[in-house]
Amino acid sequence: MVSFSGFVKRAFLGTLIMAVVFSVGVLFSGHLSQMRQRVSFRNIGVQTVHTTKYYLTTTQTPVGRKSLPECPETPPNINEPVKLNLTNITLDELRKKYPSQSGDIYRPKGCRSRVRLAVVIPYRDREQHLGILLNNLIPFLKKQQADFTIFVAEQTPGGIFNRGLMINAGVAAALKADNFTCIVIHDVDLIPETSNNYYRCRENPLHLSTASAKYGYKLPYPSYAGGNIAISPSQFKRINGFSNWYFGWGGEDDDFEIRVKTVGMRLKRNPPRQGRYYAIKHERDKLNPENPKKSVLYRSSKRRMKTEGFSSLHCNTTVSGRGAITWLKVSIDKKYYDETVKY
């Protein structure tokens, strides 16, 4: 009897243990399922905020385009002469003439582009020139089979114009919007005259506009880095972008050239025949006078470039899609720069 009683006790104890383990397993399974649901919802929430805030662009190739072949290295008909169109056109007319895809994106038909291009145009009070530029630039880039978005960084009215800061603000907005592989900094008054002037990034930053009509189709001086530049996001971050301290005309492009050399890169240049640009004639903006302190700032470029530039940008940027372009309204934190800029 004792042996049988012991057997019963052991059997009861074993059954009890199994029941407890089963109950704990059910509870843990339910808790794990809830955790997975929470994690899943959290990820969806972050993705939704990202795509909504940045006008529904994506950092991945659209599913429907993954099956497309890659575009050829040399686009077809690329050697056809460029026909400049200097007639005035409004932004509304541009939207109808060149309809973009969702997110103000242009993509080639029938193939996947080899480049994801962000064109950044520093801008203020030049609507007529902007229309003329875009009416030439959009078909120019479509012919090159580029996958591109154009960002116009407009400084809000009042105050002296700051080209370098507008470039930094435009690049910051572009890099938040999508996974661009190349950035082209583009002046509003320069229109490419040659179709084989490829808007592509290289191992070093590339000076595109080496032969502007403004300077008789030659460089005004050997180290000149003004006008249009192609630069990769990693290169832009490596030099800490442009300086934010050049208020008024001149100096920020020379400062940029110093930054490129200081980090061990070289500013490559288009051959003159390839880098020809028509320059729209205009008078200088009254709120863009020559910077009297540019020489002083230029001498301190190397010393401050690690901490002053893209990483120290202070501004408020409002983003809006306008069909053919993405418009950025950039308000400079003037108080910050009044207290920060040292001459």
Side-chain angles (χ1 to χ4, degrees), residues 85 87 89-92 94-95 97-98 106 119 121 123 126-142 148-152 186-192 280 322-327:
N85 186 347
T87 57
I89 185 170
T90 67
L91 295 181
D92 286 335
L94 276 168
R95 276 195 290 270
K97 187 174 181 179
Y98 304 110
Y106 291 93
V119 179
I121 303 173
Y123 170 87
R126 303 276 291 280
E127 186 170 349
Q128 180 182 355
H129 296 164
L130 179 63
I132 294 172
L133 169 65
L134 296 177
N135 199 23
N136 289 271
L137 185 61
I138 292 173
F140 171 83
L141 292 175
K142 287 167 72 72
F148 65 97
T149 302
I150 298 173
F151 296 84
V152 176
H186 211 294
D187 279 358
V188 73
D189 58 348
L190 292 179
I191 302 174
I280 302 175
R322 296 197 180 182
I325 55 177
T326 296
W327 201 278

Side-chain angles (χ1 to χ4, degrees), residues 41 43 113 130 138 154 158 173 193-194 200 209 223 230 246 263 266 271 275 278 293 298 302 323:
F41 287 139
N43 288 341
S113 179
L130 179 63
I138 292 173
E154 179 188 20
E193 293 186 6
T194 56
R200 303 286 191 272
S209 53
S223 62
Y246 288 84
V263 300
R266 294 175 58 194
Y278 177 84
K293 300 289 187 180
Y298 179 75
K302 290 183 181 180

Side-chain angles (χ1 to χ4, degrees), residues 209-280:
S209 53
T210 51
S212 169
K214 185 188 302 184
Y215 302 113
Y217 292 103
K218 60 184 180 181
L219 292 175
Y221 49 90
S223 62
Y224 178 70
N228 300 349
I229 301 285
I231 185 169
S232 72
S234 61
Q235 292 166 355
F236 194 85
K237 292 175 182 177
R238 186 177 172 188
I239 65 170
N240 201 13
F242 277 69
S243 171
N244 299 309
W245 286 11
Y246 288 84
F247 286 84
W249 181 85
E252 80 289 335
D253 45 4
D254 295 319
D255 189 293
F256 168 83
E257 193 265 343
I258 285 291
R259 290 173 181 241
V260 170
K261 291 194 299 187
T262 300
V263 300
M265 293 191 294
R266 294 175 58 194
L267 183 64
K268 296 290 186 178
R269 298 189 186 275
N270 259 342
R273 288 186 180 180
Q274 199 169 332
R276 290 175 63 91
Y277 281 80
Y278 177 84
I280 302 175

Side-chain angles (χ1 to χ4, degrees), residues 144-202:
Q144 292 192 2
Q145 295 183 317
D147 186 327
F148 65 97
T149 302
I150 298 173
F151 296 84
V152 176
E154 179 188 20
Q155 183 171 327
T156 52
I160 298 175
F161 187 64
N162 188 320
R163 178 176 177 268
L165 199 152
M166 290 304 105
I167 292 170
N168 285 341
V171 172
L175 296 185
K176 287 179 180 179
D178 213 332
N179 189 25
F180 293 101
T181 59
C182 185
I183 299 162
V184 168
I185 298 158
H186 211 294
D187 279 358
V188 73
D189 58 348
L190 292 179
I191 302 174
E193 293 186 6
T194 56
S195 57
N196 64 344
N197 180 1
Y198 292 112
Y199 279 29
R200 303 286 191 272
C201 285
R202 313 293 200 276

